[in-house]
């Protein structure tokens, strides 16, 4: 949908985005440098420059409902090149968090599922545990197609044969300290 | 020369050869690495994707322990490097934020010491002259492209020991090792690593572009400094005659004549042994 076709925009949205992200979205003058250098733009419904514009204009539903905010790879090219130093990757992070909090419909749900399961072993053991993370991802993202399963078995076997897969997690001594960090940040203790 | 060493989770699993070669090469070059005791995962991209406070607190615990050691931190993984640098950068710019963060991690952290990538340490702190002096087996006839990817060079106000658009440190290193460092256009492209599980179609397309550029200049192998780039390019390369993906530390080890180098190369999915034997390097 073209943003201009939507009748209702949220007049408080731009302010919320500015406040939460600290990103000076108003400085954007649509030079398109971000979009021209964006390797993932081809997979986005709205390229990065339009996401910035839509944030300025209060098109909350279109922004939250876009594929763009989820397929951004956080490669940091756009902010490196932006003549106005607008931190778009950081803006994207804020938009992910706002969309998830608002319970907005998510166009590419496998992306936030990946990031959530990525943190599970870290909280538990203090370190990443790839086998557990990948297994959880397959289950929660419902990656049950034959090609998904085949890819994972092939890769898993390739890594196993080269002794690169660990089946027992590496647990740090002070797992309590890491759990406490989760409690005080993401889980809503003091922010 | 001594650093607090932050290996990062992949060095003990999917990128074991990066960890082994980094340690072996540092020993040989006289760079002391003292592992940060009881280090934890930096949270990588998922931390900042979901929660900004978490994204700073996970690296901060490691940085605080390194600060107690009184040493600058050496990092080998490009993603860990950016996360540690980003947190350090914020604390250095705002002591108030540092206090808040110290509270959250239950340890004091004041950003008194630096964070450096091993490539920066070898090329700039140690210097290529030192490397050159120790080369026993020059990598003659090996045509290589340096693939920097994202987080070693971007964003330049946070990382950046090199040019963000056309970095040269790895090229100069390969040149010092006697290899043929080729000029090419995909040095700082993104491999799409963060989407490899969730949207592998995008990651595969981005990787495909990198591999195609390497083929265009007839490279024998692609050299990386990031375990995520390595995992993607090494594990998910399609088609016949795949290009080997090598860590810069493995090549230093090979040129220095470190005997266990062959064991690192055996851990690759795209086997580089035939290539290295054909060039009489193994």
């Amino acid at each position: 949908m073209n943003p201009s076709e939507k009748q209702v925009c949220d007049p408080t949205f731009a302010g919320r985005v500015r406040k939460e992200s600290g990103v000076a979205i108003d400085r954007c003058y649509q030079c398109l440098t971000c979009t021209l250098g964006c390797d993932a733009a081809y997979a986005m419904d709205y390229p990065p420059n339009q996401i910035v514009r839509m944030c300025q204009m209060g098109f909350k539903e279109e922004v939250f409902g876009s594929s763009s905010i989820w397929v951004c790879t956080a490669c940091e090219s756009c902010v490196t090149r932006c003549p106005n130093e607008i931190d778009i990757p950081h803006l994207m992070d804020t938009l992910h968090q706002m969309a998830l909090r608002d319970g907005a419909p998510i166009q590419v749900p496998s992306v936030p599922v990946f990031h959530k399961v990525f943190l599970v072993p870290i909280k538990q053991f203090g370190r990443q545990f790839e086998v557990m993370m990948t297994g959880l991802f397959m289950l929660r993202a419902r990656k049950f197609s034959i090609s998904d399963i085949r890819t994972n078995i092939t890769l898993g076997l390739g890594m196993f044969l080269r002794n690169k897969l660990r089946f027992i997690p590496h647990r740090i001594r002070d797992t309590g300290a890491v759990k406490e960090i989760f409690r005080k940040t993401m889980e809503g203790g003091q922010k | 020369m001594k650093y607090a060493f932050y290996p990062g989770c992949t060095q003990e699993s999917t990128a074991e050869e990066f960890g082994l070669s980094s340690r072996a090469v540092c020993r040989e070059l006289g760079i002391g690495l003292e592992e940060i005791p009881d280090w934890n995962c930096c949270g990588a991209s998922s931390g900042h994707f979901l929660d900004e406070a978490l994204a700073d607190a996970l690296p901060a615990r490691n940085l605080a322990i390194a600060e107690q050691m009184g040493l600058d931190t050496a990092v080998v993984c490009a993603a860990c490097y950016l996360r540690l640098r980003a947190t350090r950068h914020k604390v250095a710019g705002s002591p108030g934020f540092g206090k808040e963060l110290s509270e959250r991690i239950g340890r004091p952290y004041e950003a008194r010491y630096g964070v450096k990538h091993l490539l920066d340490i070898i090329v700039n702190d140690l210097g290529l002259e030192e490397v050159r002096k120790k080369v026993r087996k020059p990598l003659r006839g090996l045509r290589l492209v340096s693939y920097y990817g994202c987080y070693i060079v971007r964003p330049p106000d946070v990382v950046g020991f090199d040019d963000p658009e056309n970095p040269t440190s790895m090229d100069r290193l390969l040149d010092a090792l006697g290899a043929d460092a080729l000029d090419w256009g995909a040095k700082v492209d993104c491999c799409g690593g963060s989407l490899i599980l969730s949207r592998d179609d995008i990651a595969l397309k981005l990787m495909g572009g990198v591999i195609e550029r390497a083929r265009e200049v007839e490279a024998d192998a692609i050299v990386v400094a990031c375990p995520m780039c390595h995992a993607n390019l090494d594990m998910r390369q399609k088609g016949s005659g795949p290009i080997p993906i090598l860590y810069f530390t493995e090549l230093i080890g090979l040129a220095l004549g470190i005997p266990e180098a062959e064991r690192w190369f055996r851990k690759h999915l795209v086997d580089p042994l035939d290539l290295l034997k054909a060039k009489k390097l193994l």
Side-chain angles (χ1 to χ4, degrees):
Chain A
M1 187 190 299
N2 186 319
S4 59
E5 288 166 17
K6 190 82 183 176
Q7 289 181 340
V8 187
C9 64
D10 178 346
T12 67
F13 185 60
R16 272 176 67 201
V17 171
R18 280 195 298 268
K19 189 155 184 285
E20 280 208 32
S21 65
V23 176
I25 52 173
D26 308 292
R27 281 206 297 259
C28 177
Y29 50 47
Q30 295 294 315
C31 71
L32 270 70
T33 303
C34 53
T35 294
L36 293 171
C38 178
D39 286 335
Y42 86 92
M44 296 178 173
D45 39 13
Y46 302 105
N49 67 296
Q50 286 186 30
I51 291 290
V52 176
R53 185 70 181 138
M54 284 152 66
C55 287
Q56 291 172 346
M57 302 293 285
F59 289 106
K60 183 181 86 175
E61 280 170 37
E62 287 79 359
V63 170
F64 288 171
S66 71
S67 66
S68 317
I69 62 172
W70 309 107
V71 303
C72 161
T73 62
C75 79
E76 308 279 343
S77 281
C78 50
V79 59
T80 298
R81 294 172 186 171
C82 175
N84 298 318
E85 297 178 46
I86 300 168
D87 192 342
I88 298 179
H90 184 60
L91 171 69
M92 294 292 192
D93 280 341
T94 304
L95 295 172
H96 307 141
Q97 291 155 25
M98 289 173 78
L100 292 169
R101 223 182 305 129
D102 275 25
I106 293 167
Q107 208 190 124
V108 196
S110 59
V111 173
V113 165
F114 168 76
H115 290 294
K116 284 178 189 167
V117 301
F118 191 90
L119 295 179
V120 172
I122 301 173
K123 184 184 164 192
Q124 198 62 32
F125 310 117
R127 299 259 176 100
Q128 188 49 268
F129 180 33
E130 290 82 1
V131 173
M132 176 183 180
M133 185 267 285
T134 311
L136 278 175
F137 174 75
M138 301 289 286
L139 282 173
R140 295 203 193 154
R142 301 178 184 285
K143 294 267 180 192
F144 301 139
S145 75
I146 292 185
S147 81
D148 285 330
I149 292 170
R150 196 168 42 210
T151 302
N152 276 286
I153 289 177
T154 313
L155 293 180
L157 192 65
M159 294 211 292
F160 175 73
L161 291 173
R162 286 160 187 84
N163 201 15
K164 288 173 117 179
L165 272 195
R166 186 189 263 283
F167 291 96
I168 299 164
H170 188 118
R171 188 188 289 269
I172 68 166
R173 281 196 305 278
D174 197 357
T175 48
V178 171
K179 286 190 176 123
E180 186 66 5
I181 285 173
F182 273 84
R183 199 185 61 76
K184 285 186 170 167
T185 56
M186 210 175 166
E187 290 162 8
Q190 54 203 72
K191 271 241 167 176
Chain B
M1 270 181 110
K2 197 175 170 192
Y3 298 86
F5 184 45
Y6 182 77
C9 302
T10 57
Q11 310 303 299
E12 300 186 341
S13 57
T14 51
E16 206 185 355
E17 66 273 36
F18 194 16
L20 293 171
S21 57
S22 295
R23 288 175 202 258
V25 159
C26 284
R27 254 193 316 273
E28 200 71 20
L29 292 173
I31 300 168
L33 298 178
E34 193 179 326
E35 188 165 326
I36 296 175
D38 209 37
W39 57 271
N40 58 273
C41 173
C42 72
S45 355
S46 302
H48 68 78
F49 189 100
L50 291 169
D51 191 277
E52 195 181 343
L54 179 74
D56 285 317
L58 287 173
R61 178 176 174 275
N62 302 306
L63 293 168
I65 301 173
E67 193 160 274
Q68 285 174 335
M69 296 164 77
L71 295 169
D72 286 344
T73 298
V75 192
V76 276
C77 167
C80 302
Y81 171 63
L82 172 59
R83 290 333 312 157
L84 267 59
R85 291 277 297 201
T87 299
R88 192 201 169 275
H89 183 76
K90 275 175 142 174
V91 173
S94 163
F97 175 69
K99 284 215 175 80
E100 216 179 281
L101 189 57
S102 300
E103 181 103 339
R104 261 179 224 144
I105 60 170
R107 285 172 184 270
Y109 177 59
E110 295 171 348
R112 283 187 283 133
Y113 295 91
V115 174
K116 291 191 160 189
H117 191 274
L118 187 58
L119 180 63
D120 183 18
I121 292 172
I122 292 174
V123 174
N124 300 312
D125 291 4
L126 180 72
L128 292 175
E129 264 323 297
E130 287 303 306
V131 177
R132 235 178 235 119
K133 275 189 226 160
K134 294 194 169 144
V135 170
R136 265 173 263 168
K137 206 189 320 169
L139 307 181
R140 277 204 194 97
L142 205 53
R143 294 174 58 84
L144 303 171
V145 283
S146 297
Y147 179 49
Y148 298 79
C150 304
Y151 298 152
I152 283 186
V153 293
R154 290 191 299 263
D157 58 332
V158 178
V159 294
F161 53 91
D162 206 336
D163 188 281
E165 301 292 352
N166 186 16
T168 56
S169 37
M170 217 190 310
D171 299 77
R172 286 181 285 123
L173 171 66
L174 296 177
D175 181 66
L177 300 177
D180 200 354
L182 307 170
D183 198 17
W184 70 316
K187 279 182 172 182
V188 295
D189 286 4
C190 175
C191 75
S194 59
L195 297 172
I196 195 69
L197 284 180
S198 49
R199 276 293 300 270
D200 69 346
D201 58 313
I202 300 175
L204 291 172
K205 183 178 155 78
L206 299 191
M207 273 168 49
V210 172
I211 288 162
E212 201 182 302
R213 295 298 177 287
R215 283 195 195 287
E216 279 170 11
V217 296
E218 293 167 23
D220 294 321
I222 299 175
V223 188
V224 297
C226 170
M228 255 57 74
C229 298
H230 188 275
N232 284 335
L233 295 167
D234 185 47
M235 291 173 25
R236 300 296 298 268
Q237 221 177 124
K238 292 237 161 86
S240 59
I243 295 190
I245 316 296
L246 309 172
Y247 288 109
F248 73 99
T249 46
E250 294 178 307
L251 288 165
I252 302 174
L254 189 62
L256 297 185
I258 297 176
E260 69 246 46
E262 187 169 340
R263 266 189 284 155
W264 311 328
F265 295 119
R266 288 192 186 282
K267 289 194 163 278
H268 292 233
L269 270 80
V270 177
D271 187 353
L273 293 172
D274 286 347
L275 166 70
L276 298 174
K277 280 177 184 156
K279 303 278 178 186
K280 303 199 168 30
L281 295 167
L282 271 182

